[in-house]
Amino acid sequence: MTTYQADERRYERQPYNRSGRSGLKLPAVSLGLWHNFGDNRPIENSRAILRRAFDLGVTHFDLANNYGVPYGSAEKNFGRILRDDFAPYRDELIISTKAGYDMWPGPYGEWGSRKYVLASLDQSLKRMGLDYVDIFYSHRPDPETPLEETMGALDRAVRSGKALYAGISNYSAEQTTQAARIMRELGTPLLIHQPSYSMINRWIEDGLLDALEEAGMGCIVFSPLAQGLLTDRYLDGVPADSRAATSRFLSEDKIDRQLARDLNEIARGRGQTLAQMALSWTLRDPRVTSVLIGASSVKQLEDNVACVDGPAFTEDELEAIAKITGTRAAGGR
């Protein structure tokens, strides 16, 4: 294994956006380690992706306690690569993790209790070999635990020094407003929200983005490619090694090839791939701080990060996209 030295021009490759009214900036494109960094993937491939990502200015790596196959393996493998390759660059990195979904058996292994949230953080730090993470999220709201308890656990995580910032994911606009109020009263303002968002999944436009702006929070979106639907992967069929053929998160009956082909024509006119256009589209609103991509190869990573080089959208393009996807047109602000 060769010794890694980061590209000296890494900060010239993409913009960095402030997260809400905080002091923290995130790269326009961040890397999520959900699908491709577990024990079922070659670690040298994961290492190559992470190295190239940092060379391209991707300073933010996003994880969760149950990412990877088996659960926890993405954090474990990331920790190994961090130790071997990125230890000299730790202060240049934003590393996040989350607690909320099922992680271990029994009543204390998921959701939002103080016991689960803080125990999960300790486990994540141990797997990654870290003293702290930069952002720690409540991964989903818990309908049976008082919001004050879950937010109190996030506050405790920050006050203990085990996290620098707190965030939430998958919360509604109303829940976000309530969570932000609680955290302000505790003295640890929420930094950021991580929702799903794409050209065919625009729910955050109905109140959540406004709530985040009001609360002074940033927004980092996941699934901007709709699990691969907004790429050229399925224009002519379902490849045997594709997510639709191998993953429980996407089934063939969810694929709308005509929609993808129509959107692809707009992308071609912009000099972009469909995936690049879909990523650029999520970043068109300045309230979106960053977009999370996944990558199974260095080439896929490079192609997706290149979305930051795309042209601004015209009103005609936004109207055409809205017509194809069956949604109202909504430009940036």
Side-chain angles (χ1 to χ4, degrees), residues 168-327:
I168 55 176
S169 181
N170 297 305
Y171 281 55
S172 70
E174 181 180 1
Q175 291 166 331
T176 296
T177 297
Q178 293 172 348
R181 175 186 55 79
I182 293 168
M183 291 296 279
R184 279 197 306 271
E185 292 172 354
L186 290 170
T188 303
L190 284 172
L191 172 80
I192 199 163
H193 188 296
Q194 187 175 135
S196 61
Y197 185 49
S198 73
M199 288 192 288
I200 57 176
N201 174 24
R202 299 174 66 161
W203 72 276
I204 70 173
E205 295 173 8
D206 292 323
L208 180 59
L209 284 172
D210 291 336
L212 295 177
E213 186 174 33
E214 177 67 24
M217 295 170 60
C219 181
I220 180 170
V221 301
F222 71 89
S223 293
L225 303 181
Q227 300 293 322
L229 296 178
L230 297 175
T231 72
D232 59 10
R233 192 82 162 123
Y234 302 107
L235 295 179
D236 300 309
V238 179
D241 62 344
S242 67
R243 186 169 296 175
T246 62
S247 171
R248 64 185 174 90
F249 295 102
L250 178 64
S251 57
E252 186 172 354
D253 61 356
K254 297 288 181 65
I255 297 172
D256 186 335
R257 292 193 186 90
Q258 191 57 53
L259 178 143
R261 288 168 182 156
D262 291 344
L263 291 173
N264 191 54
E265 286 302 308
I266 299 176
R268 289 176 60 186
R270 290 170 47 83
Q272 291 183 300
T273 66
L274 175 53
Q276 288 168 346
M277 183 179 77
L279 295 170
S280 296
W281 184 92
T282 65
L283 289 166
R284 79 199 186 286
D285 191 312
R287 294 173 294 182
V288 174
T289 311
S290 183
V291 59
L292 274 169
I293 63 168
S296 58
S297 68
V298 168
K299 184 180 186 306
Q300 185 182 51
L301 170 81
E302 292 172 338
D303 289 346
N304 287 346
V305 171
C307 74
V308 299
D309 299 322
F313 285 91
T314 67
E315 288 301 320
D316 286 346
E317 287 170 339
L318 291 174
E319 290 285 352
I321 290 169
K323 183 177 181 180
I324 292 168
T325 59
T327 56

